[in-house]
Amino acid sequence: MKKILFCFGTRPEAIKMAPLIEEGLNRGHDVKVCITGQHRDMIIPFLEFFQIKVDYSLDIMRENQTLSSLTSNLLSKIEIVLKDFQPELVFVQGDTTSTFTCALAAFYQKIDVVHIEAGLRTGDIYSPFPEEGNRRLVTPIAKYLFAPTEESRANLLEEGVTENVVVTGNTSIDTLRKTITKIRSGQLNDSLRERYKDINFKKKIVLVTVHRRENHGQPLIQICNAIKELASSREDIEFVIPVHLNPNVKECIHASLEQFDNVHLYKPLEYIDFSWLMYMSYLIMTDSGGVQEEGPYFEKPILVMRENTERPEGVSEGVSKLIGSDSKLIINEVNKLFDSCEYYSSFSKNKNPYGDGFASEKVFDYLG
Ligand code: UD1
Ligand code: UDP
């Protein structure tokens, strides 16, 4: 039995840590969970949905906080948790500021760091920002590096990191595997259709998420302009947009898109609702990391509104396409996907490069 502390603070981390926490508990480890508080509203429903019991909760979220204040507040608070529980292993996931800061705090206490979703790289330290920096900084201080794909493992090997590097698949697929049956069986259809009765499901659904810092400002304005143009020119589209709570995103999207009947703006959605909407959609447009992994599971074409991606597997498998944020390019791509069946079906189906849904088991098999 090992003493394990799971540290995380944002929505995607909760979704991807949930199956690991369950697996750790099932195997009889002494598991405790620390929520950094980087996200507040956007994490609480997920903790409830996945029944994650929280042992330590650090209240660090401030409206529109800077990266420096987030990092310094968290670094001093997490030290108290580490000294209290004295874990043998600290699990961190991905590339957020919570991920990096908790790994650094554990390193300062000479506690072994387990990095889940290690080895993702774009090669550009400023894109995504600060995530590419965060994940690169975790690599040398992590003892165990669980890479989701062979490509991410190869990135680590190229950097000279060879010990305790294991390919597992992404735990996001574990989480989907555990919830997909409910969605595919149709048992939720009636209640969800009722909840989203303002959406005209006779039309084709385009599900959109956008939040990356490098898309704030002009790129986001361009993305909104493209959606505006498509919403007014196409009768056959219903845009569904759960809006991220970051004020830089929320204000811009509401100001430009609120007036369209066929653009449905929502607060961040619960996991099961969002997964169902992925399942119901014709097309997904996103700059999210997690959604790039989940979309292929639902066999939906994904337009990635970024200049580069640390998830190139989807692009090489032909399930996703990098299109950036230029309005004209976005409009052209969407029109093509709606008007050409041939183009739509050129996006591959049945290809999910991100794992078989048993990553958490592989992690604990390795750790023993
Ligand atoms: C963070 C991560 C990003 C991840 C994303 C997932 C960093 C630097 N960024 O970005 O890697 O992809 O989460 O969604 O780690 N806010 C709320 N309520 C919430 C959450 C956020 O109001 O529950 C608002 C606050 O004003 C907050 C702001 O959003 O200051 C930004 O939050 P922050 O965690 O710094 O960045 P994200 O853009 O959410
Ligand atoms: N997601 C959700 N509700 C939403 C939007 C996204 O549950 O309204 C889930 C989505 O299924 C994925 C994760 O949130 O698992 C992605 O989070 P986000 O895009 O915020 O972060 P990223 O993955 O880009 O770090």
Side-chain angles (χ1 to χ4, degrees):
M1 185 189 74
K2 291 189 167 68
K3 280 179 91 173
I4 300 177
L5 184 68
F6 285 87
C7 291
F8 54 96
T10 68
R11 165 172 74 186
E13 292 163 81
I15 292 168
K16 292 172 176 182
M17 285 293 214
L20 287 159
I21 295 170
E22 191 185 332
E23 190 64 28
L25 287 168
N26 287 345
R27 295 202 186 200
H29 294 294
D30 180 6
V31 168
K32 289 207 189 296
V33 172
C34 174
I35 301 301
T36 66
Q38 179 175 342
H39 282 178
R40 190 174 46 214
D41 332 71
M42 276 172 55
I43 202 170
I44 290 166
F46 296 89
L47 301 174
E48 283 165 9
F49 179 74
F50 296 117
Q51 298 180 321
I52 296 172
K53 182 182 153 283
V54 177
D55 300 283
Y56 300 96
S57 185
L58 314 176
D59 174 31
I60 56 161
M61 201 198 89
R62 301 288 174 268
E63 186 69 11
N64 217 359
Q65 63 199 335
T66 65
L67 293 173
S68 303
S69 67
L70 174 61
T71 308
S72 54
N73 278 341
L74 180 54
L75 193 60
S76 49
K77 288 200 170 176
I78 195 81
E79 183 181 340
I80 300 166
V81 175
L82 296 175
K83 285 189 169 156
D84 180 63
F85 181 47
Q86 299 184 10
E88 294 161 71
L89 296 175
V90 166
F91 271 57
V92 296
Q93 196 284 332
D95 50 24
T96 69
T97 292
S98 288
T99 312
F100 163 62
T101 310
C102 293
L104 182 64
F107 171 67
Y108 285 163
Q109 300 297 315
K110 297 192 177 158
I111 298 167
D112 288 343
V113 173
V114 179
H115 191 198
I116 303 295
E117 199 180 271
L120 276 65
R121 300 287 186 264
T122 60
D124 177 352
I125 198 78
Y126 286 112
S127 181
F129 176 81
E131 291 82 2
E132 176 82 357
N134 284 342
R135 58 192 172 224
R136 279 177 182 269
L137 291 162
V138 174
T139 297
I141 54 178
K143 170 142 186 201
Y144 301 99
L145 298 103
F146 292 103
T149 64
E150 285 298 339
E151 283 86 341
S152 41
R153 177 170 168 269
N155 291 335
L156 294 169
L157 298 185
E158 215 168 279
E159 291 169 18
V161 183
T162 53
E163 264 182 59
N164 295 319
V165 176
V166 182
V167 177
T168 56
N170 200 302
T171 58
S172 58
I173 308 300
D174 298 20
T175 309
L176 265 188
R177 181 177 62 78
K178 289 166 189 245
T179 33
I180 197 84
T181 327
K182 268 192 191 163
I183 293 172
R184 289 210 168 122
S185 70
Q187 69 188 89
L188 299 171
N189 260 359
D190 290 347
S191 58
L192 287 168
R193 273 179 191 271
E194 178 59 25
R195 187 173 305 162
Y196 296 99
K197 58 178 176 235
D198 54 323
I199 301 174
N200 182 350
F201 286 101
K202 290 191 182 114
K203 295 189 186 178
K204 288 183 173 142
I205 310 299
V206 178
L207 183 62
V208 183
T209 80
V210 58
H211 74 82
R212 298 244 84 83
R213 270 177 162 74
E214 61 279 7
N215 270 339
H216 293 175
Q218 206 47 44
L220 185 55
I221 292 170
Q222 290 264 333
I223 290 168
C224 289
N225 285 344
I227 295 173
K228 258 187 200 170
E229 166 60 27
L230 288 160
S232 19
S233 61
R234 297 206 70 111
E235 299 262 297
D236 47 355
I237 294 191
E238 289 277 287
F239 281 102
V240 175
I241 314 181
V243 184
H244 196 283
L245 293 182
N246 193 318
N248 302 292
V249 174
K250 200 166 66 175
E251 282 154 26
C252 180
I253 291 188
H254 278 273
S256 22
L257 298 173
E258 221 155 40
Q259 70 274 31
F260 293 91
D261 290 341
N262 55 346
V263 179
H264 305 273
L265 304 183
Y266 296 105
K267 290 192 174 141
L269 301 175
E270 290 180 22
Y271 179 74
I272 198 88
D273 295 31
F274 185 76
S275 302
W276 180 74
L277 284 162
M278 277 196 274
Y279 173 69
M280 296 295 284
S281 65
Y282 178 75
L283 167 66
I284 298 170
M285 291 164 54
T286 192
D287 65 4
S288 157
V291 178
Q292 285 179 70
E293 293 151 7
E294 294 162 346
Y297 202 80
F298 290 99
E299 304 182 353
K300 306 294 173 178
I302 303 173
L303 298 179
V304 182
M305 298 184 291
R306 293 174 49 178
E307 301 306 323
N308 55 26
T309 179
E310 61 293 280
R311 291 165 174 87
E313 299 86 350
V315 179
S316 45
E317 288 289 356
V319 289
S320 51
K321 182 168 180 185
L322 265 181
I323 60 161
S325 55
D326 180 77
S327 293
K328 283 204 181 90
L329 276 178
I330 297 175
I331 294 166
N332 281 346
E333 278 297 327
V334 174
N335 278 332
K336 241 164 108 181
L337 278 160
F338 270 74
D339 296 335
S340 163
C341 292
E342 210 182 328
Y343 188 57
Y344 189 85
S345 47
S346 73
F347 280 75
S348 314
K349 303 230 160 183
N350 299 320
K351 294 249 172 78
N352 159 34
Y354 298 109
D356 60 3
F358 292 92
S360 308
E361 292 183 19
K362 290 174 198 146
V363 167
F364 279 97
D365 285 348
Y366 187 79
L367 292 175

